[in-house]
Amino acid sequence: MKEINNQGLLSIVDIVLNHSACNSEWVFEHPEVGYDTSTNSRHLNSAYVLDRCLEDLSKDYANRANGVTHKCPHAPYIRNEHELDNVISVMTDRVVSL
């Protein structure tokens, strides 16, 4: 990590040890471990909606679709802090304002 920091790079690692892939054999054998926002996990509905909105925004950004290029003309690239601010602005308009 020290060498990464010395080169001015950023590294983020997110390790979730108690998660399983949705297509794992274990999940198929034990469907009760999954959640369904309409039945056993209604409290996760807002997190689900947020995830979907972020996924839609990510796809639009990658494909330069649905008005993303109005504020982010260099999409799908972020080359500097100003362009990052533009992405955050689009995210705020499309996702946070829900």
Side-chain angles (χ1 to χ4, degrees):
M1 287 302 293
K2 191 173 188 178
E3 184 61 31
I4 289 173
N5 290 333
N6 288 341
Q7 293 183 25
L9 300 174
L10 173 66
S11 175
I12 299 173
V13 178
D14 182 15
I15 299 175
V16 184
L17 301 176
N18 65 343
H19 284 199
S20 183
C22 62
N23 62 349
S24 75
E25 185 176 326
W26 179 75
V27 171
F28 285 121
E29 293 172 0
H30 300 277
E32 72 279 3
V33 301
Y35 67 88
D36 179 350
T37 56
S38 65
T39 57
N40 68 351
S41 300
R42 290 188 179 115
H43 62 285
L44 296 175
N45 193 54
S46 57
Y48 173 77
V49 170
L50 176 61
D51 282 350
R52 289 303 310 257
C53 290
L54 289 171
E55 179 183 13
D56 290 345
L57 174 61
S58 295
K59 288 177 181 176
D60 287 346
Y61 192 83
N63 296 317
R64 301 174 51 89
N66 293 326
V68 167
T69 55
H70 175 69
K71 284 191 176 180
C72 304
H74 300 291
Y77 304 103
I78 301 173
R79 302 174 305 172
N80 56 49
E81 191 172 344
H82 175 71
E83 291 178 7
L84 176 60
D85 289 339
N86 290 344
V87 172
I88 292 169
S89 176
V90 170
M91 187 180 303
T92 300
D93 293 346
R94 287 186 51 179
V95 178
V96 178
S97 63
L98 291 177

